[in-house]
């Protein structure tokens, strides 16, 4: 991925967070993606969300696989360590990294090819292990870097840039995640920043695996008539099921609480997600209902967005014996000589 | 014919009948009688029902390797009876369960046949079906105790230790079964036989251990605290043992676990997890075998190029492909040395026995962090799963983990200018690294794509090549840090021929040298303990007219690497190859060397 340093000139009146930092301090290198790429909007959303949560940039580990989406971690949080793994295998890197140091915030950015084709196994197992991370799929239905092949999220009948028609049914990351037991599942649209930023904030604060599938049109290879991942198609079939607000801890919670329409959910650190139901049929805390709801709207070819499923009692971490603290300091064993002798005493 | 304290006993049984513990009991009782002993388990890739063998060599000369001959066969498996009988050296003994008459099947008159109606006696004494199967094995231990003069007190003590206080009530029926066999043999045969065990004092300062357990212990004591793996024979017991050691010893003052072991969904993920943890700064490893290394290649290549420490224990088994999963070989030598796509090469350590597996496990973590790269400990099934008698393991009190060149928060505070991840300020090829979360100035992007000395993406020809050349320089630096070869010159006078070998061939080579010396020919010996190869290996080859390269694979992998890496004269290198899945025996080596000289003379 190309890397160009951005000029770091601050507007004197840019708002500062509690750390005294502006959003410019959360930026990365200059994007080399195509002009208009949805991924850049997601990057902008990430910058704003992490800034607003007052997270020190270097306390984040950002990770990705291979592909256009996987370039994006270079474009935010220049003071955070990043790792660009091999194709589809970012989840295993994230799992190991988090096992070693659960004290950091983990942001994984992947693509539909990366997560749903080559990396589908690792994606599923990271959910199953409930790795404590925000996992964003920048979903455009095509392989951009190899110039326009269908990915596993392409809809049946959708057309590629040069007219080929996709014959295989799509894998829906949202439904997949819910059925695998993921405790935080959302869908956004790169063109709807207002909806996306609270989702990212809430996902970062969720204690466990938080998936956000973001429809992010590819302007080079999948923004034409016949594509179901184009800007035009997404805007036409966009169906917000729920609106999400994120409220950090210690701020007064002001919710226009109308019975049956709004739902505050307190997270482990005291922050709150407020879900405002736009579609009264949606039950985002009921797994079976959420699956049924999504299936109904999928059949109607609608792209349902918002925080689609959340399990507020969800734990987090890799398995049940997750070390509480970082293991990176080099753990010395007490009295190795005695341990060795005890072992050998049973070996004679 | 074999002598007292110098013979091979082989037991043929059926997999899943509990014979392994009976055979372990036999081996350990001989060890406790002070007589050196070797045990090899030849078992099928099957849970129950197929033939399995256990070979015990009693050897007061201390040749703890296969001799290649059997002097006393315990033929408990009807299916393999004829084959087992045929294997006995002339003058040897055939022991069988005479509950089932085999008079017509016993075809040899140059051996002594001993029949003991084990099943009949045990079925008469015990009621429960599973107990009858298990106790039949314990009964042959009793019969052998009489025939070979083993100490019953030692056997009883071993049973008490095996069952412990929780299962103490099992000691009594086991001893009853021992006595059933013992008493029968005493009554019907002249005990002990001319071939038997006599107490000695030669095992003090030694232990009986397997290499997978010692490797796991070494890893834990070296500070390994993250492990990820996918089950595969014959490496699984590394992780089983590591799990057990960590559960006992790796907790903080509040009793919280200070380790994480993850059973991954496959070897790709296992390797990714290890690299993720290594990138973050933990000491992380995986254990696998050849097929697992195949799957990990993509990540090994990534780890090499991104310079992330990782330790990979490869417990070699028979390939290609699935091969024979429970048989031993040394056929991953090339696979480990050059794993990955592109120009990759890796530090490999080749332990020869469980004690060295322990030492090299510790060393591998230091090398991985010092050189910021994946390091392989290339062991094998013979070392890993068989019980070896080795000198006691030693702990170096002054050991401190070598964490390599890591910039601390304090270092980064003082840093002026931009941190350059892949620079080479010390001119040894080893860059400085930073760990995530430590300091904003340490941030860089780790990527498997072409990168500059600052870690930024590049396709610039010169910048790419600079990093690649430094990686080569780093590998050259490693030559000075890896374990030196073990070189032993013949003492009497300079000799024309030498032997090069590695890993678990060691004891067979040593015995072959001993025996050939007895026949009047001496050989110098160089055992390679690591890759990259050191200059003294080149010198060893230069010093000799002929160098036998002994290894356990078909394609002479080590020999090919010696030619490629040291530019060694191929005409000098004579391969001696053993690759049938059983551990190499001294007699294979002696025969091959003698054949070579005979043919050379004839031509």
């Amino acid at each position: 991925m190309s890397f160009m340093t951005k000029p770091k000139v601050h507007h004197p009146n840019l708002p500062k967070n509690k750390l005294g930092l502006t959003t410019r301090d959360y930026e990365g290198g200059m994007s080399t993606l195509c002009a208009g790429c949805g991924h850049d909007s997601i990057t902008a959303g990430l910058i704003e969300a992490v800034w607003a949560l007052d997270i020190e940039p270097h306390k984040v580990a950002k990770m990705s696989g291979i592909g256009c989406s996987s370039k994006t971690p270079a474009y935010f949080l220049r003071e955070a360590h990043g790792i660009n793994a091999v194709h589809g295998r970012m989840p295993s890197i994230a799992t190991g990294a988090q096992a070693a140091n659960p004290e950091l915030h983990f942001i994984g950015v992947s693509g539909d090819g990366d997560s749903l084709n080559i990396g589908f196994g690792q994606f599923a197992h990271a959910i199953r292990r409930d790795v404590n991370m925000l996992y964003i799929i920048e979903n455009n239905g095509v392989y951009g870097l190899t110039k326009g092949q269908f990915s596993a999220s392409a809809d049946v009948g959708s057309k590629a840039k040069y007219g080929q028609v996709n014959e295989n049914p799509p894998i829906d990351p949202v439904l997949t995640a819910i059925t695998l037991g993921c405790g935080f599942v959302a869908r956004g649209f790169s063109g709807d920043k207002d909806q996306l930023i609270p989702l990212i904030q809430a996902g970062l604060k969720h204690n466990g695996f938080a998936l956000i599938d973001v429809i992010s049109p590819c302007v080079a290879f999948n923004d034409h008539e016949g594509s179901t991942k184009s800007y035009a198609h997404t805007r036409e079939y966009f169906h917000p099921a729920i609106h999400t607000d994120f409220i950090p801890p210690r701020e007064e919670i002001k919710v226009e609480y109308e019975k049956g329409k709004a739902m505050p959910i307190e997270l482990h650190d005291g922050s709150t997600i407020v879900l405002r139901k736009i579609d009264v049929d949606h039950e985002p805390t009921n797994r079976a209902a959420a699956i049924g709801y999504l299936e109904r709207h999928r059949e109607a070819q609608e792209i349902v967005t918002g925080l689609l499923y959340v399990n507020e009692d969800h734990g987090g971490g890799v398995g049940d014996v997750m070390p509480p603290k970082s293991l990176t300091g080099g753990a010395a064993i007490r009295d190795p000589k005695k341990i060795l002798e005890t072992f050998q005493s049973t070996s004679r | 014919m074999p002598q007292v304290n110098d013979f091979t006993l082989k037991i043929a049984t059926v997999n899943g009948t509990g014979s392994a513990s009976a055979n372990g009991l036999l081996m350990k009782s001989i060890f406790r009688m002070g007589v050196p002993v070797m045990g090899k388990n030849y078992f099928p890739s099957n849970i129950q029902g197929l033939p399995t063998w256990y070979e015990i060599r009693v050897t007061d000369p201390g040749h703890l390797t296969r001799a290649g001959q059997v002097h006393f066969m315990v033929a408990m498996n009807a299916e393999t009876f004829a084959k087992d009988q045929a294997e006995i050296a002339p003058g040897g003994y055939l022991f069988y369960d005479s509950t089932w008459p085999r008079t017509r099947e016993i075809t040899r008159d140059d051996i002594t046949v001993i029949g003991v109606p084990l099943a009949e006696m045990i079925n008469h004494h015990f009621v429960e079906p599973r107990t009858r199967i298990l106790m039949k094995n314990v009964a042959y231990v009793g019969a052998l105790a009489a025939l070979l003069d083993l100490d019953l007190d030692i056997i009883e003590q071993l049973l008490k230790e095996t069952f412990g206080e929780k299962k103490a009530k099992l000691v009594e029926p086991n001893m009853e079964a021992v006595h059933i066999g013992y008493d029968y043999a005493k009554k019907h045969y002249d005990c002990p036989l001319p071939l038997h065990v006599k107490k000695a004092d030669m095992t003090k300062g030694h232990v009986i251990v397997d290499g997978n357990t010692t490797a796991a212990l070494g890893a834990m004591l070296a500070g390994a605290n993250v492990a990820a793996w996918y089950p595969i024979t014959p490496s699984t017991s590394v992780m089983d043992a590591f799990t057990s050691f960590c559960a006992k010893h790796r907790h903080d003052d509040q009793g919280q676990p200070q380790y994480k072991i993850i059973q991954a969904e496959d070897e790709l993920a296992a390797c990714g997890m290890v690299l993720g943890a290594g990138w973050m700064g933990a000491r992380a490893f995986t254990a696998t075998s050849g097929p697992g290394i195949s799957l990990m290649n993509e990540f090994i290549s990534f780890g090499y190029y991104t310079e992330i420490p990782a330790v990979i224990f490869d417990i070699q088994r028979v390939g290609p492909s699935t091969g024979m999963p429970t048989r031993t070989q040394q056929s991953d030598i090339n696979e480990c040395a050059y794993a990955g796509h592109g120009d990759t090469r890796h530090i490999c350590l080749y332990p020869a026995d469980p004690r060295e597996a322990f030492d090299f496990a510790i060393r591998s973590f230091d090398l991985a962090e010092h050189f910021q790269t994946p390091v392989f400990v290339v062991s094998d099934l013979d070392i890993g799963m068989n019980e070896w008698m080795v000198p006691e393991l030693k702990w170096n009190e002054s050991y401190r983990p070598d964490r390599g060149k890591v910039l601390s928060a304090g270092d980064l505070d003082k840093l002026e200018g931009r941190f350059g991840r892949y620079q080479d300020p010390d001119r040894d090829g080893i860059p400085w690294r930073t760990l995530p979360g430590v300091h904003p100035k340490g941030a860089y992007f780790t990527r498997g794509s072409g990168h500059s000395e600052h870690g930024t993406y590049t396709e610039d020809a010169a910048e790419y090549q600079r990093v690649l050349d430094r990686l080569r320089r780093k590998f050259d630096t490693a030559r000075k840090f890896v374990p030196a070869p073990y070189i032993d010159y013949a003492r009497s006078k300079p000799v024309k021929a030498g032997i090069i070998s590695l890993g678990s061939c060691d004891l067979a080579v040593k015995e072959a040298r001993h025996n050939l010396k007895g026949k009047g020919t001496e050989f110098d010996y160089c055992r390679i303990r690591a890759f990259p190869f050191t200059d003294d290996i080149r010198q060893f080859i230069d010093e000799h007219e002929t160098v036998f390269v002994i290894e356990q694979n078909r394609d002479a992998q080590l020999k090919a690497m010696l030619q490629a890496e040291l530019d060694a004269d191929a005409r000098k290198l004579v391969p001696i190859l053993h690759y049938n899945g059983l551990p190499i025996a001294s007699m294979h080596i002696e025969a091959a060397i003698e054949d070579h000289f005979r043919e050379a003379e004839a031509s």
Side-chain angles (χ1 to χ4, degrees):
Chain A
M1 91 198 43
S2 304
F3 182 92
M4 282 183 285
T5 310
K6 271 188 186 174
K8 205 177 165 187
V9 183
H10 285 204
H11 188 284
N13 295 333
L14 273 180
K16 291 181 176 170
N17 64 10
K18 286 179 184 162
L19 301 169
L21 303 172
T22 71
T23 50
R24 301 299 309 272
D25 299 311
Y26 288 77
E27 291 178 345
M30 294 275 277
S31 171
T32 58
L33 297 169
C34 310
C37 177
H39 299 358
D40 284 335
S41 308
I42 300 168
T43 297
L46 272 163
I47 289 168
E48 204 163 322
V50 181
W51 169 82
L53 290 176
D54 306 312
I55 294 170
E56 288 178 274
H58 75 282
K59 293 293 182 189
V60 174
K62 47 185 189 172
M63 30 208 24
S64 62
I66 295 283
C68 293
S69 59
S70 295
K71 290 164 166 251
T72 58
Y75 310 143
F76 60 87
L77 295 178
R78 72 174 71 80
E79 288 182 350
H81 272 65
I83 189 164
N84 202 186
V86 294
H87 205 183
R89 325 267 188 239
M90 173 266 281
S92 63
I93 293 272
T95 307
Q98 206 209 60
N101 190 357
E103 293 172 25
L104 299 186
H105 300 271
F106 291 86
I107 300 175
V109 184
S110 181
D112 38 301
D114 199 62
S115 282
L116 306 179
N117 286 82
I118 188 166
F120 195 49
Q122 293 211 349
F123 169 65
H125 283 276
I127 294 172
R128 176 182 153 248
R129 293 195 178 93
D130 202 19
V131 178
N132 190 4
M133 68 186 298
L134 170 65
Y135 193 104
I136 293 177
I137 298 181
E138 299 184 335
N139 189 346
N140 57 20
V142 293
Y143 288 85
L145 283 178
T146 49
K147 304 196 172 178
Q149 299 80 11
F150 290 118
S151 82
S153 74
D155 291 308
V156 177
S158 63
K159 280 188 183 164
K161 186 172 183 179
Y162 302 111
Q164 305 96 311
V165 178
N166 181 40
E167 294 173 353
N168 296 314
I171 292 171
D172 182 342
V174 165
L175 274 169
T176 302
I178 296 175
T179 54
L180 286 169
C182 186
F184 182 106
V185 182
R187 179 176 282 140
F189 171 41
S190 63
D192 187 354
K193 203 172 157 186
D194 291 345
Q195 185 197 46
L196 188 59
I197 291 172
L199 287 178
I200 293 173
Q201 288 178 305
L204 273 165
K205 285 291 174 183
H206 173 73
N207 189 25
F209 194 96
L211 174 73
I212 309 179
D213 175 42
V214 187
I215 306 300
S216 174
C218 170
V219 290
F221 294 103
N222 211 9
D223 198 27
H224 45 263
E225 199 173 331
S227 160
T228 58
K229 297 280 190 295
S230 63
Y231 276 111
H233 184 95
T234 307
R235 285 200 178 104
E236 187 176 345
Y237 292 92
F238 186 76
H239 180 93
I242 217 148
H243 179 77
T244 309
D245 282 333
F246 179 81
I247 300 169
R250 294 180 299 279
E251 274 184 24
E252 190 187 352
I253 300 170
K254 293 175 187 168
V255 184
E256 291 170 27
Y257 196 86
E258 191 179 332
K259 200 174 178 184
K261 297 281 184 180
M263 185 184 300
I265 294 174
E266 189 170 328
L267 300 175
H268 293 81
D269 68 341
S271 53
T272 306
I273 319 173
V274 181
L275 304 179
R276 282 193 188 78
K277 282 206 230 178
I278 292 167
D279 190 332
V280 289
D281 287 345
H282 185 36
E283 293 293 337
T285 55
N286 180 329
R287 190 168 157 212
I291 292 171
Y293 176 84
L294 284 166
E295 286 287 5
R296 284 197 303 280
H297 287 273
R298 188 174 64 83
E299 281 167 18
Q301 296 186 328
E302 285 175 343
I303 301 165
V304 178
T305 62
L307 180 52
L308 304 171
Y309 175 66
V310 63
N311 180 352
E312 55 198 305
D313 298 327
H314 216 64
V318 187
D320 54 358
V321 286
M322 186 71 182
K325 288 181 185 166
S326 166
L327 299 175
T328 59
I333 285 281
R334 273 174 297 235
D335 209 348
K337 195 175 174 186
K338 191 177 165 196
I339 292 170
L340 183 56
E341 185 38 49
T342 305
F343 164 70
Q344 299 201 103
S345 69
T346 62
S347 309
R348 292 189 186 101
Chain B
M1 194 42 216
Q3 303 296 314
V4 172
N5 289 354
D6 190 9
F7 60 91
T8 296
L9 167 73
K10 191 166 176 180
I11 303 134
T13 50
V14 179
N15 207 28
T17 60
S19 55
S21 48
N23 299 335
L25 184 65
L26 269 175
M27 181 180 168
K28 219 162 181 181
S29 64
I30 296 166
F31 172 79
R32 288 215 180 164
M33 287 175 74
V35 182
V37 65
M38 169 218 85
K40 304 277 185 218
N41 189 11
Y42 311 131
F43 58 106
S45 179
N46 167 278
I47 304 296
Q48 205 162 1
L50 287 179
T52 181
W53 291 269
Y54 198 80
E55 191 175 305
I56 296 173
R57 185 174 180 189
V58 184
T59 165
D60 66 7
H63 297 311
L64 296 165
T65 180
R66 281 180 71 216
Q69 278 195 314
V70 176
H71 307 110
F72 192 115
M73 178 68 78
V74 180
M76 299 291 287
N77 187 351
E79 195 187 326
T80 60
F81 190 83
K83 185 183 165 199
D84 295 333
Q85 182 186 178
E87 205 181 329
I88 304 166
Y93 296 84
L94 171 68
F95 176 104
Y96 77 108
D97 184 347
S98 59
T99 307
W100 297 280
R102 299 202 183 278
T103 321
R104 278 190 297 174
E105 293 176 58
I106 295 167
T107 56
R108 290 181 60 176
D109 52 15
D110 60 341
I111 55 173
T112 303
V113 177
I114 298 169
V116 177
L118 295 170
E120 186 186 326
M121 294 190 295
I122 290 297
N123 289 352
H124 181 73
H125 194 86
F126 295 98
V127 177
E128 205 266 319
R130 181 67 186 162
T131 307
R132 285 174 166 180
I133 292 170
L134 297 174
M135 291 306 173
K136 203 169 66 173
N137 297 317
V138 182
Y140 74 63
V141 173
L144 292 176
L147 295 163
L148 303 177
D149 208 13
L150 306 182
D151 189 327
L152 283 183
D153 290 342
I154 289 177
I155 291 174
E156 185 167 10
Q157 182 58 30
L158 281 167
L159 285 170
K160 283 179 183 165
E161 290 171 23
T162 304
F163 295 118
E165 284 178 16
K166 284 184 184 168
K167 294 182 179 174
K169 61 180 181 185
L170 290 177
V171 176
E172 198 178 320
N174 272 275
M175 276 313 287
E176 282 172 21
V178 167
H179 273 289
I180 287 169
Y182 186 87
D183 295 344
Y184 185 93
K186 274 277 187 191
K187 190 174 171 189
H188 294 85
Y189 295 96
D190 284 337
C191 293
L193 301 174
L195 166 158
H196 63 268
V197 181
K198 189 179 166 194
K199 274 192 177 174
D201 191 18
M202 299 175 70
T203 60
K204 269 193 182 152
H206 288 75
V207 285
I208 290 195
V209 286
D210 69 79
N212 282 355
T213 305
T214 56
L217 182 59
M220 188 196 67
L221 295 183
N225 50 12
V226 177
W229 67 296
Y230 184 77
I232 182 170
T233 302
S235 73
T236 300
S237 57
V238 174
M239 217 48 89
D240 289 345
F242 184 71
T243 305
S244 157
F245 286 130
C246 285
K248 273 189 207 152
H249 303 295
R250 204 169 258 299
H251 295 88
D252 65 12
D253 293 337
Q254 285 76 46
Q256 294 285 348
Q258 290 295 294
Y259 64 96
K260 182 68 196 170
I261 300 163
I262 307 168
Q263 185 184 321
E265 58 269 30
D266 54 37
E267 284 92 345
L268 286 80
C271 195
M273 290 171 192
V274 169
L275 290 172
W279 173 69
M280 197 52 81
R283 287 203 141 182
F285 76 97
T286 187
T288 188
S289 190
I293 305 277
S294 302
L295 285 170
M296 291 176 185
N297 262 250
E298 183 189 41
F299 260 136
I300 292 166
S301 193
F302 178 81
Y304 171 81
Y305 192 33
T306 55
E307 304 185 56
I308 298 175
V311 170
I312 299 167
F313 291 93
D314 175 21
I315 316 301
Q316 297 171 98
R317 67 188 214 186
V318 170
S321 189
T322 307
M324 297 194 283
T326 59
R327 308 294 167 159
T328 197
Q329 211 165 62
Q330 295 176 312
S331 49
D332 300 342
I333 297 171
N334 289 166
E335 187 188 27
C336 292
Y338 305 113
H341 47 281
D343 290 322
T344 52
R345 49 186 57 213
H346 310 288
I347 296 170
C348 296
L349 306 181
Y350 309 111
D353 60 35
R355 188 164 83 146
E356 218 168 42
F358 174 76
D359 293 339
F360 285 4
I362 298 166
R363 204 144 175 191
S364 64
F365 287 96
D366 294 330
L367 287 165
E369 288 204 300
H370 190 92
F371 289 96
Q372 300 170 32
T373 195
V375 169
F376 290 84
V377 181
V378 187
S379 177
D380 63 30
L381 181 143
D382 186 14
I383 297 169
M385 291 190 73
N386 282 321
E387 299 228 293
W388 294 52
M389 179 182 128
V390 294
E392 286 174 354
L393 314 180
K394 297 262 185 285
W395 178 253
N396 177 3
E397 291 281 15
S398 62
Y399 175 74
R400 298 289 176 275
D402 177 359
R403 305 302 310 265
K405 297 181 187 179
V406 183
L407 291 173
S408 66
D411 296 333
L412 288 162
D413 253 343
K414 287 180 224 146
L415 181 78
E416 288 174 13
R418 188 175 161 207
F419 166 64
R421 169 67 178 104
Y422 296 117
Q423 290 175 327
D424 189 11
D426 308 316
R427 302 301 301 157
D428 56 2
I430 309 167
W432 286 81
R433 69 176 179 139
T434 57
L435 302 179
V438 170
H439 196 285
K441 275 195 192 171
Y444 71 98
F445 213 94
T446 302
R447 46 165 63 80
S449 46
H451 47 260
S452 72
E453 288 174 314
H454 280 90
T456 52
Y457 180 83
T458 188
E459 292 181 16
D460 180 271
E463 280 203 89
Y464 162 79
Q465 202 166 319
R466 217 163 26 240
V467 172
L468 216 65
D469 287 344
R470 182 185 50 72
L471 284 166
R472 179 67 206 223
R473 195 157 60 244
K474 182 165 84 167
F475 190 72
D476 287 337
T477 303
R479 234 177 274 283
K480 298 196 269 296
F481 284 76
V482 296
Y486 161 89
I487 296 180
D488 184 40
Y489 288 104
R491 290 194 186 141
S492 52
K493 58 182 179 184
V495 297
K496 291 178 180 174
I499 294 172
I500 285 182
S501 191
L502 85 173
S504 62
C505 297
D506 184 47
L507 291 178
V509 172
K510 282 179 176 162
E511 184 178 2
R513 280 181 83 210
H514 171 86
N515 292 343
L516 290 165
K517 186 180 178 183
K519 294 179 193 172
T521 318
E522 289 193 74
F523 296 88
D524 295 333
Y525 178 34
C526 167
R527 178 166 66 84
I528 294 173
R529 302 203 302 163
F531 180 65
F533 298 146
T534 49
D535 286 341
D536 29 13
I537 300 170
R538 186 201 309 272
Q539 193 185 326
F540 184 88
I541 296 170
D542 289 347
E543 286 166 353
H544 297 92
E545 286 179 14
T546 305
V547 177
F548 295 98
V549 183
I550 300 168
E551 53 188 309
Q552 299 182 55
N553 58 67
R554 186 194 68 181
D555 288 347
Q557 296 188 18
L558 174 64
K559 175 178 171 280
M561 275 175 66
L562 290 170
Q563 288 170 224
E565 296 287 332
L566 298 177
D567 202 19
D569 184 349
R571 289 166 303 182
K572 278 187 177 184
L573 304 179
V574 180
I576 295 180
L577 307 169
H578 177 83
Y579 47 91
N580 62 10
L582 298 175
I584 192 168
S586 57
M587 66 186 295
H588 301 136
I589 297 169
E590 290 163 47
I593 289 177
E594 285 171 344
D595 282 353
H596 172 81
F597 285 122
R598 202 175 301 118
E599 283 169 24
E601 210 169 292
S603 64

